[in-house]
Amino acid sequence: MVYRPGRHLLQIPGPTNVPDRVLRAIDAPTIDHRGPDFAELGLEVLEGLRTVCRTDGQIVVYPASGTGAWEAALVNTLSPGDKVIACETGHFATLWRAMAARLGLEVVWLEGDWRHGADPERIADALDDDVRAVMVVHNETSTGVTSRIADVRAALGDHDALLLVDTISSLASIDYRHDEWGVDVTVAGSQKGLMLPAGLSFNAVSEKALEAAKAARMPRSYWDWAPIIAANANGYWPYTSATNLLYGLREALQILLREEGLEHVFARHARHAAATRAAVAGWGLEVLALDERELSNSLTAVVCGGSDEVRRVILERFDMSLGAGLGRLADEVFRIGHLGDFNDLMLAGTLSGVQMGLKLAGHDVGDGVGAALELLAA
């Protein structure tokens, strides 16, 4: 065993760094999940999540990863054999589509090149009277591409299809508006913009989705919204709750909503994303996303053949983890996460490690760090 001084730099696009004060909150003694103190905690975090999702509707929280909230969105609103549209924007959109197919849904798969977001016009063209839902990943974690959800909603027009949106790597990092954009089910997880460990997932649910749940015939038990919403009215859950993660969530919401403020959070993420893209250009490389309207503020996927070797060198020499290329992008990109609890100096250190690693791995790159620092210092 070799001691490595300092902290490991976790610069994958999630799980993200957990603030020390959130870790300390999680470390508090567990309380009775049927007692009055817990009810106060439950009601507080549910109200905070409504603010983050920008909804006045119901929020459902599960002790699960984001994959659980994917399934909950489907089984609560749909019936076996229902037709849904899904858009191929990257690895995670592909996984959600596979889940829908395994659950017995008929999936209309709009193929994509993984360099663009969901195309509103193609979605509109694919609509027919049998389509019951449209599934879109807001921010595709594998590609650094952000789909234009408001435009997708507009493309649906008066069609009755539900709009289901994955915000796992965008919520609390990129501007998102559940009610204003007409989203019916939002899917989210705790381990990215909310600055928590993995272990909690969320659905924000519209009235239209709640009505659909009354007629939906997909088997569901653990994922059933109804008993959870009923218990939540008094601040409780119908099962043993992840109390200590809820402590951490309360602390994270305090930071996001009361101390920094969501608009400042979004501006910080946009600034760090712009600086990262300036570094990529300075290195003479390119980002994967091709449409400037769809550039992610949570992460940047950098096109770089032999990226696994670059990541290996950076991990071994500088104790920093970068995101790997997933699926068809394996060994073709590396991903820099710049979301969550993150500041200018952390970004400067991250980009310095990437620049040194690229050179050590044999890539002839320019001074991307200098370009990023000019933007950060402006």
PDB file of all heavy atoms in Angstrom, residues 74-86:
ATOM      1  N   LEU A  74     -42.379   4.793 -15.171  1.00  0.00           N
ATOM      2  CA  LEU A  74     -43.041   3.959 -16.174  1.00  0.00           C
ATOM      3  C   LEU A  74     -44.196   3.166 -15.590  1.00  0.00           C
ATOM      4  O   LEU A  74     -45.303   3.146 -16.145  1.00  0.00           O
ATOM      5  CB  LEU A  74     -42.021   3.013 -16.815  1.00  0.00           C
ATOM      6  CG  LEU A  74     -40.870   3.677 -17.582  1.00  0.00           C
ATOM      7  CD1 LEU A  74     -39.856   2.630 -18.029  1.00  0.00           C
ATOM      8  CD2 LEU A  74     -41.378   4.466 -18.776  1.00  0.00           C
ATOM      9  N   VAL A  75     -43.966   2.487 -14.466  1.00  0.00           N
ATOM     10  CA  VAL A  75     -44.987   1.554 -13.965  1.00  0.00           C
ATOM     11  C   VAL A  75     -46.175   2.270 -13.345  1.00  0.00           C
ATOM     12  O   VAL A  75     -47.270   1.679 -13.258  1.00  0.00           O
ATOM     13  CB  VAL A  75     -44.385   0.541 -12.963  1.00  0.00           C
ATOM     14  CG1 VAL A  75     -43.284  -0.274 -13.624  1.00  0.00           C
ATOM     15  CG2 VAL A  75     -43.885   1.214 -11.690  1.00  0.00           C
ATOM     16  N   ASN A  76     -46.000   3.505 -12.928  1.00  0.00           N
ATOM     17  CA  ASN A  76     -47.133   4.226 -12.347  1.00  0.00           C
ATOM     18  C   ASN A  76     -48.049   4.855 -13.387  1.00  0.00           C
ATOM     19  O   ASN A  76     -49.182   5.205 -13.062  1.00  0.00           O
ATOM     20  CB  ASN A  76     -46.630   5.316 -11.403  1.00  0.00           C
ATOM     21  CG  ASN A  76     -46.283   4.790 -10.034  1.00  0.00           C
ATOM     22  OD1 ASN A  76     -47.171   4.508  -9.225  1.00  0.00           O
ATOM     23  ND2 ASN A  76     -45.001   4.634  -9.767  1.00  0.00           N
ATOM     24  N   THR A  77     -47.589   5.016 -14.603  1.00  0.00           N
ATOM     25  CA  THR A  77     -48.360   5.780 -15.592  1.00  0.00           C
ATOM     26  C   THR A  77     -48.816   4.966 -16.792  1.00  0.00           C
ATOM     27  O   THR A  77     -49.673   5.435 -17.552  1.00  0.00           O
ATOM     28  CB  THR A  77     -47.528   6.965 -16.115  1.00  0.00           C
ATOM     29  OG1 THR A  77     -46.310   6.477 -16.695  1.00  0.00           O
ATOM     30  CG2 THR A  77     -47.189   7.930 -14.985  1.00  0.00           C
ATOM     31  N   LEU A  78     -48.264   3.757 -16.999  1.00  0.00           N
ATOM     32  CA  LEU A  78     -48.488   3.041 -18.248  1.00  0.00           C
ATOM     33  C   LEU A  78     -49.003   1.627 -18.004  1.00  0.00           C
ATOM     34  O   LEU A  78     -48.954   1.119 -16.878  1.00  0.00           O
ATOM     35  CB  LEU A  78     -47.189   3.004 -19.051  1.00  0.00           C
ATOM     36  CG  LEU A  78     -46.642   4.386 -19.453  1.00  0.00           C
ATOM     37  CD1 LEU A  78     -45.198   4.298 -19.917  1.00  0.00           C
ATOM     38  CD2 LEU A  78     -47.517   5.020 -20.530  1.00  0.00           C
ATOM     39  N   SER A  79     -49.452   1.006 -19.077  1.00  0.00           N
ATOM     40  CA  SER A  79     -49.972  -0.357 -19.038  1.00  0.00           C
ATOM     41  C   SER A  79     -49.205  -1.222 -20.022  1.00  0.00           C
ATOM     42  O   SER A  79     -48.645  -0.704 -21.008  1.00  0.00           O
ATOM     43  CB  SER A  79     -51.464  -0.379 -19.390  1.00  0.00           C
ATOM     44  OG  SER A  79     -52.214   0.399 -18.469  1.00  0.00           O
ATOM     45  N   PRO A  80     -49.136  -2.522 -19.802  1.00  0.00           N
ATOM     46  CA  PRO A  80     -48.430  -3.397 -20.737  1.00  0.00           C
ATOM     47  C   PRO A  80     -48.926  -3.206 -22.170  1.00  0.00           C
ATOM     48  O   PRO A  80     -50.134  -3.115 -22.425  1.00  0.00           O
ATOM     49  CB  PRO A  80     -48.759  -4.802 -20.220  1.00  0.00           C
ATOM     50  CG  PRO A  80     -49.018  -4.606 -18.759  1.00  0.00           C
ATOM     51  CD  PRO A  80     -49.697  -3.270 -18.651  1.00  0.00           C
ATOM     52  N   GLY A  81     -47.990  -3.101 -23.109  1.00  0.00           N
ATOM     53  CA  GLY A  81     -48.332  -2.925 -24.516  1.00  0.00           C
ATOM     54  C   GLY A  81     -48.489  -1.483 -24.947  1.00  0.00           C
ATOM     55  O   GLY A  81     -48.631  -1.210 -26.148  1.00  0.00           O
ATOM     56  N   ASP A  82     -48.478  -0.544 -24.015  1.00  0.00           N
ATOM     57  CA  ASP A  82     -48.580   0.865 -24.392  1.00  0.00           C
ATOM     58  C   ASP A  82     -47.396   1.270 -25.273  1.00  0.00           C
ATOM     59  O   ASP A  82     -46.274   0.799 -25.102  1.00  0.00           O
ATOM     60  CB  ASP A  82     -48.598   1.760 -23.152  1.00  0.00           C
ATOM     61  CG  ASP A  82     -49.966   1.844 -22.495  1.00  0.00           C
ATOM     62  OD1 ASP A  82     -50.936   1.329 -23.072  1.00  0.00           O
ATOM     63  OD2 ASP A  82     -50.060   2.436 -21.390  1.00  0.00           O
ATOM     64  N   LYS A  83     -47.677   2.176 -26.205  1.00  0.00           N
ATOM     65  CA  LYS A  83     -46.629   2.683 -27.089  1.00  0.00           C
ATOM     66  C   LYS A  83     -46.005   3.932 -26.492  1.00  0.00           C
ATOM     67  O   LYS A  83     -46.713   4.859 -26.067  1.00  0.00           O
ATOM     68  CB  LYS A  83     -47.203   3.001 -28.474  1.00  0.00           C
ATOM     69  CG  LYS A  83     -46.147   3.507 -29.467  1.00  0.00           C
ATOM     70  CD  LYS A  83     -46.763   3.972 -30.775  1.00  0.00           C
ATOM     71  CE  LYS A  83     -47.224   2.833 -31.633  1.00  0.00           C
ATOM     72  NZ  LYS A  83     -47.624   3.310 -33.002  1.00  0.00           N
ATOM     73  N   VAL A  84     -44.671   3.955 -26.458  1.00  0.00           N
ATOM     74  CA  VAL A  84     -43.935   5.120 -25.974  1.00  0.00           C
ATOM     75  C   VAL A  84     -42.856   5.475 -26.984  1.00  0.00           C
ATOM     76  O   VAL A  84     -42.344   4.611 -27.695  1.00  0.00           O
ATOM     77  CB  VAL A  84     -43.301   4.860 -24.590  1.00  0.00           C
ATOM     78  CG1 VAL A  84     -44.370   4.546 -23.552  1.00  0.00           C
ATOM     79  CG2 VAL A  84     -42.268   3.759 -24.636  1.00  0.00           C
ATOM     80  N   ILE A  85     -42.504   6.739 -27.033  1.00  0.00           N
ATOM     81  CA  ILE A  85     -41.404   7.223 -27.872  1.00  0.00           C
ATOM     82  C   ILE A  85     -40.198   7.464 -26.969  1.00  0.00           C
ATOM     83  O   ILE A  85     -40.315   8.085 -25.901  1.00  0.00           O
ATOM     84  CB  ILE A  85     -41.787   8.523 -28.599  1.00  0.00           C
ATOM     85  CG1 ILE A  85     -42.910   8.266 -29.605  1.00  0.00           C
ATOM     86  CG2 ILE A  85     -40.569   9.131 -29.296  1.00  0.00           C
ATOM     87  CD1 ILE A  85     -43.469   9.537 -30.235  1.00  0.00           C
ATOM     88  N   ALA A  86     -39.050   6.972 -27.380  1.00  0.00           N
ATOM     89  CA  ALA A  86     -37.797   7.216 -26.648  1.00  0.00           C
ATOM     90  C   ALA A  86     -36.743   7.696 -27.635  1.00  0.00           C
ATOM     91  O   ALA A  86     -36.708   7.265 -28.792  1.00  0.00           O
ATOM     92  CB  ALA A  86     -37.329   5.951 -25.942  1.00  0.00           C
TER      93      ALA A  86
END
